[in-house]
Amino acid sequence: FGSKRGFWRIHDIFQKYKIPLTIFGVGMALERNLEICNAIKKANYEIASHGWRWIDYQYISKSKEKKDMNKAIKAIKKIFGNKPLGWYTGRCSPNTLDLVMENGNFIYCSDTYSDDIPYWEKRGNKKQLMIPYSLDNNDMKFATNQGFNNGDQFYNYLKDSFDALYEEGKKYPKMMSVGLHCRLVGRPGRIQSLKKFLNYVLKHDDVWICKRIDIAKHWIKNYSDI
């Protein structure tokens, strides 16, 4: 459902609102959905790598994880013409961040949930920009126990998160990540909640809706020493 219908429903909304997206693309899935890849290119969305396959790397060897990382990078470069600048495994291992930093080509990594703003992870003489992802402002909770039962719950949670961060933002900047999945929020009974939230956000001043790579470049330019 996600690739057949959900993507197009979400894509239509973001094109209508002229809002950019960062897409975490799984390499194998991208190779199997070239029509979607063409739409992504035309829309100028950012493609960040979401690995080669959606598997849990917790107990997978570092060499196997590195091999899959390279396959994911190769797939995106082949389809989109450039290597991905962002990385997010999702179900990472103790080796994931080391591999990201060893690769050296990623401007940012999103395998973290530990802050409201980007930060630098330092290891030895290397540092990696981390742009946190969100598991609570995320439609994945439609598919979990004690998660969202309907679109109103999703909308209200996103609205409350936005309101809290917007209020705090009067003193210092904040970042809000919203995780969307084609197979989840792309359902007819849930998509209205996304529309409502976008309409709500767009009524506010001093809000920047952008790709993650834009956040990364902004952070590097202004806060490279933090």
Side-chain angles (χ1 to χ4, degrees), residues 31-44:
E31 288 186 343
R32 296 179 178 183
N33 292 277
L34 295 180
E35 185 181 1
I36 285 176
C37 292
N38 288 333
I40 291 170
K41 285 188 280 188
K42 186 176 180 181
N44 196 32

Side-chain angles (χ1 to χ4, degrees), residues 25 30 47-49 72-82 84:
L30 292 172
I47 282 284
S49 183
I73 295 168
K74 183 179 179 181
I76 287 178
K77 187 176 188 301
K78 180 180 178 181
I79 296 170
F80 296 95
N82 297 292

Side-chain angles (χ1 to χ4, degrees), residues 90-110:
R91 294 191 285 182
C92 55
S93 79
N95 300 310
T96 302
L97 185 55
D98 287 334
L99 288 171
V100 169
M101 295 179 76
E102 287 172 14
N103 181 277
N105 291 313
F106 295 109
I107 291 181
Y108 70 89
C109 177
S110 287

Side-chain angles (χ1 to χ4, degrees), residues 194-210:
L194 176 60
K195 290 181 185 178
K196 285 172 62 179
F197 179 67
L198 292 176
N199 285 326
Y200 182 75
V201 171
L202 290 170
K203 293 177 181 177
H204 292 73
D205 297 324
D206 300 322
V207 175
W208 183 31
I209 304 177
C210 62

Side-chain angles (χ1 to χ4, degrees), residues 101-139:
M101 295 179 76
E102 287 172 14
N103 181 277
N105 291 313
F106 295 109
I107 291 181
Y108 70 89
C109 177
S110 287
D111 277 311
T112 177
Y113 315 96
S114 58
D115 209 329
D116 293 324
I117 58 173
Y119 64 91
W120 294 97
E121 181 72 30
K122 299 179 180 179
R123 296 193 177 183
N125 61 351
K126 292 184 177 181
K127 66 178 184 177
Q128 177 67 56
L129 180 62
M130 308 297 291
I131 300 186
Y133 188 52
S134 169
L135 295 180
D136 62 321
N137 295 320
N138 197 310
D139 66 0

